[in-house]
Amino acid sequence: MNKFIFRTSVLAAATLVALTLSSCSDSNGDMMTDMAFQRTITFENVVTPKDFVESGSFQGMGTAPIISPGQSVSVTFSAGKTQALMFATMYGASKDWFFASQQPGIKLFDTNGNAITGDVSSSVRLWDNGTKDDTTGQVESKPIMQVPNVNASQLMKLSLAYNDVTSEFTLTITNTSGGTANETPFSPGVWAVSNYNGSQLLNSAPFFTPNALSNPEITDIAQMGNISKMMTQLNANTGIMTGLSPALIVVYRGDKNPMYELGKTDNGMGLKDIAQFGNVAKLQNSLKSLPNVQGVYVAGNAPVAPGSKVTTNFNAEPGDKIAYATMFGFSNDWFYANEQSIDANTKGDISSKTSLFDSGTGIDQYPGAGNHQALFGGTPQIESKIISKVGTQYPVPAVQNVIKVTIN
């Protein structure tokens, strides 16, 4: 009898404990659900577009910086399909003439996208700046026009060479005016490659506008061979810009960022697709299958141009973290991502936690001027290196001058 009472009492106590534990478990679950929250994350492209992606100057190698008959100079620059090279140098034996190509510059690729190499002297033109009388040197105000009855290509030889891996051209300018009726030295000169935004050049008439009045910068070159004003203007208007891809956001648990691991090679889950082409689909699907992933979200559905932004909401619970990635669009295989872990409950500007990374999957070229970049319809040439932070090989704007990330 006593044994029965004891057993019954134990069973009742166990049942009570089980019910209590069950009640507590349900209560905790409800509490976690009640503590779930929603945040809005925004990615804004804040880069300042500049007219030119690259620019520079050239001059003779002698004591005087002029390029005399028989002498040559070379400039090396990067470019992708649709881009062109503009240059300008004074026809020294004149009052206000200068050499330059036709607008928007020397054509660098043919209609099939193949690099143009060899003799491209037919691209050069001789222009009258219209600011001085050709005989007396008196000041005048006429529009810029081509100089008649002078074949510029007989006075200047232009030759192009191309490196497909780097997408770099070398232009060699040779003074071939010696022994002609128009023998002349060339002054120091300037050159520039216009930025391309995916549909058009940002400056399709660099340096001057034919059939219009001249400007102070080209006038100084045409009248005195002085490139100072033009270089000041070029320096202020030259810089790397970029679009961003739609951003992929993951909510996860644990200490390891599921998108990438610094110092390791790409794991094939889909980061390469973002870094090379801005395509989030593969990594999005890969992340959904991971046990520590709570949710995957995409902000935007098209490239994010300078001045534009994309936004999405995400759901999370206490203890969750978030990570994100978006392509540096004008690159071969670069992406922006958070380098530090971020609590999903964070609010405010988190741009300082963002860094620019090289995925190590494609050979780099000058940003916004590489023919194997997706911007120009290309495919990066394969390489296999560890994921690393982008260094200082190229003058890329600081992260905070390109992307702003905020959570509200």
Side-chain angles (χ1 to χ4, degrees), residues 98 126-131 142-147 207-215 218-219:
F98 65 97
L126 183 58
W127 303 89
D128 185 333
N129 195 54
T131 50
K142 294 182 178 179
I144 297 173
M145 303 287 289
Q146 283 193 52
V147 175
F207 300 178
F208 68 98
T209 303
N211 304 313
L213 294 178
S214 189
N215 55 68
I218 204 69
T219 294

Side-chain angles (χ1 to χ4, degrees), residues 68 70 86 116 147 348 364 366 386 389 405:
S68 300
M86 176 54 77
I116 296 172
V147 175
D364 291 337
Y366 200 98
I386 61 171
K389 294 179 71 171
V405 186

Side-chain angles (χ1 to χ4, degrees), residues 266-288:
D266 179 74
N267 59 17
M269 290 178 58
L271 179 67
K272 172 183 174 181
D273 291 44
I274 294 180
Q276 292 192 4
F277 303 106
N279 188 339
V280 303
K282 183 177 179 179
L283 185 55
Q284 180 183 12
N285 290 329
S286 295
L287 291 171
K288 288 178 179 178

Side-chain angles (χ1 to χ4, degrees), residues 82 195-203:
T82 76
N195 255 316
Y196 178 67
N197 66 6
S199 61
Q200 63 184 17
L201 296 176
L202 268 61
N203 191 330

Side-chain angles (χ1 to χ4, degrees), residues 100-179:
S101 82
Q102 55 197 2
Q103 303 287 10
I106 298 172
K107 188 177 181 180
L108 303 170
F109 295 90
D110 63 22
T111 54
N112 295 319
N114 299 312
I116 296 172
T117 59
D119 192 334
V120 291
S121 304
S122 59
S123 298
V124 69
R125 300 288 186 271
L126 183 58
W127 303 89
D128 185 333
N129 195 54
T131 50
K132 283 192 174 183
D133 182 272
D134 292 337
T135 303
T136 66
Q138 293 296 312
V139 174
E140 62 182 11
S141 182
K142 294 182 178 179
I144 297 173
M145 303 287 289
Q146 283 193 52
V147 175
N149 305 317
V150 178
N151 186 343
S153 63
Q154 292 182 351
L155 310 178
M156 175 183 287
K157 180 180 179 181
L158 303 177
S159 182
L160 280 174
Y162 180 63
N163 182 327
D164 181 65
V165 174
T166 60
S167 200
E168 285 183 329
F169 287 88
T170 297
L171 173 71
T172 299
I173 301 172
T174 303
N175 187 333
T176 56
S177 69

Side-chain angles (χ1 to χ4, degrees), residues 18-99:
L19 288 171
T20 302
L21 289 174
S22 175
S23 175
C24 288
S25 176
D26 290 344
S27 176
N28 287 339
D30 290 341
M31 287 175 63
M32 289 298 291
T33 301
D34 290 343
M35 293 173 69
F37 54 87
Q38 185 178 81
R39 293 284 181 267
T40 299
I41 187 166
T42 301
F43 299 84
E44 184 176 1
N45 187 335
V46 296
V47 74
T48 300
K50 300 291 184 75
D51 279 357
F52 307 107
V53 65
E54 272 193 291
S55 63
S57 63
F58 58 87
Q59 64 180 44
M61 302 303 292
T63 303
I66 62 173
I67 305 161
S68 300
Q71 294 182 332
S72 298
V73 294
S74 295
V75 296
T76 299
F77 58 94
S78 297
K81 297 171 189 174
T82 76
Q83 290 178 303
L85 177 78
M86 176 54 77
F87 75 95
T89 177
M90 180 188 183
Y91 178 107
S94 73
K95 300 295 191 291
D96 67 340
W97 293 358
F98 65 97
F99 291 99

Side-chain angles (χ1 to χ4, degrees), residues 324-340:
Y324 50 84
T326 177
M327 180 188 183
F328 183 103
F330 290 11
S331 72
N332 295 75
D333 67 335
W334 295 354
F335 66 99
Y336 285 110
N338 56 300
E339 184 175 5
Q340 309 167 36

